[in-house]
C-alpha cells in the first residue's frame, strides 16, 4: 500500500506565511530604535513645530476677515486690522477691506490679491468700522433732516481716508454690528489718528453718550483737540454758540419728535 506523499518544505513555508500575525506581534517585531535616533527625531520635531506655528500665525495674523461678525472675541483689544477704505458711509464710519500683511503678503500686486472694483462684488467682504470716541453731525436719513455741517464732515472724511490704507485698533462690536476702533492713516509720511484729526478740524465732537462710549487711551487728547477747535472757531464751531446742537442732542430731539407723531 503506497504511503501518502510528504509535504514539501515549500508547502510548509507557505502555510507559515499565510498564518495570521497579531498586531502586538507586529509591534514587538518592529525595530523602533531607528525612530528614536537624534538624526530622525530632531527633524521630525522641528517640522511638526514649524507646521503648528505656521497654522497659528496664519489664523491669528494672515487670514483675511471678510466681515465684523467673523472677528473672534479674543481679537478685541489685542489685534489691529490693516486694509483699504472702500466706502465712507456717514461721517464717523466706513467700510474696510481687510488686507492682512499688506503688500508683503501680495496685496495689490499678486494675482488674486486685489480689491474687487465693483461695489456689488464687495458685498459681504468688508468690515464696517465706527470711529471710536467721536460723533459727527448726523446726515439726513429715516425722514430726519440733516444737521448743519453733516455734508462737510462727510466730505472731509472721504478726502482724508477713502481709498487709503489704514490700521484700525479694534475694541468691540456695537449694537449695529460695527467694529468700534481707533483708526490711523499715513498722511505726508506721518501717522495720523483719524478721530483726533476730525476733532481738530471741527468736523466732529467728543462722543458724549452716557453708555457705550469707547476712547481707548485717547479720551484726554480728544477733549483737548475739541476744546482747541472751539477756541479757533473752526468747522461746526464757526457759528453762534447759542445755535449749536451736538449730534447726541440732535438724536435725542429727533427721536422724541418721532415718538410724538
Amino acid at each position: 500500500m503506497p504511503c501518502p506523499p510528504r509535504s514539501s518544505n515549500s508547502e510548509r513555508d507557505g502555510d507559515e506565511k499565510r498564518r495570521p500575525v497579531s498586531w502586538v506581534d507586529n509591534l514587538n517585531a518592529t525595530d523602533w530604535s531607528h525612530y528614536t535616533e537624534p538624526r530622525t527625531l530632531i527633524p521630525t520635531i522641528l517640522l511638526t513645530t514649524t507646521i503648528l506655528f505656521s497654522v497659528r500665525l496664519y489664523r491669528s495674523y494672515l487670514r483675511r476677515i471678510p466681515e465684523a461678525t467673523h472677528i473672534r472675541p479674543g481679537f478685541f483689544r489685542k489685534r489691529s486690522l490693516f486694509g483699504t477704505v472702500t466706502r465712507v458711509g456717514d461721517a464717523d464710519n466706513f467700510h474696510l477691506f481687510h488686507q492682512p500683511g499688506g503688500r508683503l503678503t501680495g496685496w495689490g500686486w499678486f494675482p488674486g490679491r486685489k480689491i474687487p472694483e465693483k461695489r456689488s462684488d464687495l458685498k459681504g467682504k468688508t468690515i464696517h468700522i465706527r470711529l471710536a470716541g467721536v460723533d459727527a453731525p448726523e446726515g439726513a436719513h429715516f425722514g430726519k433732516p440733516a444737521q448743519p455741517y453733516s455734508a462737510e464732515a462727510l466730505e472731509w472724511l472721504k478726502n482724508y481716508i477713502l481709498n487709503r490704507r489704514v490700521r484700525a485698533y479694534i475694541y468691540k462690536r456695537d449694537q449695529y454690528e460695527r467694529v468700534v476702533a481707533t483708526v490711523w492713516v499715513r498722511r505726508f509720511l506721518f501717522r495720523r489718528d483719524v478721530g483726533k484729526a476730525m476733532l481738530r478740524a471741527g468736523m466732529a465732537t467728543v462722543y458724549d453718550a452716557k453708555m457705550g462710549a469707547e476712547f481707548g487711551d485717547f479720551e484726554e487728547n480728544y477733549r483737548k483737540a475739541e476744546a482747541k477747535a472751539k477756541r479757533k472757531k473752526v468747522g461746526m464751531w464757526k457759528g453762534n454758540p447759542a445755535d449749536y446742537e451736538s449730534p447726541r442732542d440732535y438724536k435725542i430731539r429727533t427721536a422724541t419728535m418721532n415718538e410724538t407723531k
Side-chain angles (χ1 to χ4, degrees):
M1 184 175 182
C3 296
R6 289 188 175 183
S7 299
S8 65
N9 290 337
S10 61
E11 290 176 340
R12 285 198 300 271
D13 292 342
D15 290 341
E16 290 177 359
K17 289 180 180 178
R18 288 193 293 271
R19 187 178 302 162
V21 179
S22 70
W23 180 71
V24 175
D25 291 339
N26 259 333
L27 286 179
N28 292 334
T30 302
D31 182 11
W32 295 99
S33 61
H34 168 72
Y35 298 98
T36 58
E37 292 179 359
R39 64 182 180 180
T40 302
L41 189 61
I42 292 175
T44 301
I45 292 174
L46 290 176
L47 178 61
T48 303
T49 302
T50 301
I51 292 173
L52 292 175
F53 175 79
S54 299
V55 169
R56 183 168 184 179
L57 178 69
Y58 172 77
R59 293 186 63 188
S60 297
Y61 297 99
L62 299 178
R63 181 172 58 179
R64 207 186 87 76
I65 300 173
E67 293 183 286
T69 53
H70 290 75
I71 299 176
R72 292 189 287 175
F75 278 19
F76 291 109
R77 300 185 183 278
K78 295 180 181 178
R79 297 281 190 273
S80 64
L81 302 176
F82 180 82
T84 298
V85 177
T86 58
R87 180 162 64 93
V88 176
D90 291 330
D92 50 26
N93 64 84
F94 61 90
H95 286 260
L96 174 81
F97 187 88
H98 185 216
Q99 297 169 294
R103 293 187 64 83
L104 291 177
T105 55
W107 287 107
W109 58 270
F110 194 77
R113 292 223 141 193
K114 294 183 179 180
I115 301 173
E117 295 181 0
K118 295 182 180 179
R119 183 169 175 175
S120 58
D121 294 336
L122 285 168
K123 187 175 181 180
K125 297 179 181 179
T126 59
I127 301 169
H128 197 176
I129 298 216
R130 208 255 190 230
L131 293 173
V134 302
D135 205 4
E138 291 289 307
H141 55 284
F142 304 120
K144 300 177 183 179
Q147 264 192 288
Y149 279 94
S150 61
E152 290 86 342
L154 177 59
E155 192 63 24
W156 184 95
L157 188 60
K158 284 181 177 180
N159 290 333
Y160 206 73
I161 64 171
L162 185 59
N163 298 323
R164 291 182 177 271
R165 291 187 291 271
V166 301
R167 184 169 294 280
Y169 293 87
I170 60 177
Y171 303 126
K172 64 179 182 180
R173 273 192 297 266
D174 67 9
Q175 67 270 32
Y176 304 109
E177 293 299 336
R178 301 174 302 187
V179 176
V180 181
T182 297
V183 178
W184 295 78
V185 64
R186 194 167 292 280
R187 303 274 303 184
F188 309 110
L189 302 179
F190 296 97
R191 291 176 75 242
R192 305 291 187 187
D193 179 341
V194 177
K196 184 178 178 180
M198 283 199 80
L199 293 168
R200 294 179 66 178
M203 294 298 167
T205 66
V206 172
Y207 194 75
D208 279 330
K210 293 183 179 180
M211 296 181 62
E214 181 61 67
F215 296 91
D217 298 324
F218 303 103
E219 182 174 3
E220 184 178 351
N221 290 336
Y222 281 15
R223 294 197 180 278
K224 287 180 179 178
E226 181 187 76
K228 188 174 182 179
K230 285 181 179 180
R231 289 196 304 270
K232 290 187 173 183
K233 295 186 179 296
V234 297
M236 68 175 68
W237 309 111
K238 287 180 180 178
N240 187 346
D243 298 330
Y244 168 75
E245 182 179 38
S246 72
R248 178 172 178 266
D249 290 339
Y250 169 85
K251 294 171 191 174
I252 294 173
R253 178 175 61 81
T254 53
T256 304
M257 287 172 58
N258 288 341
E259 290 174 1
T260 56
K261 285 183 179 180

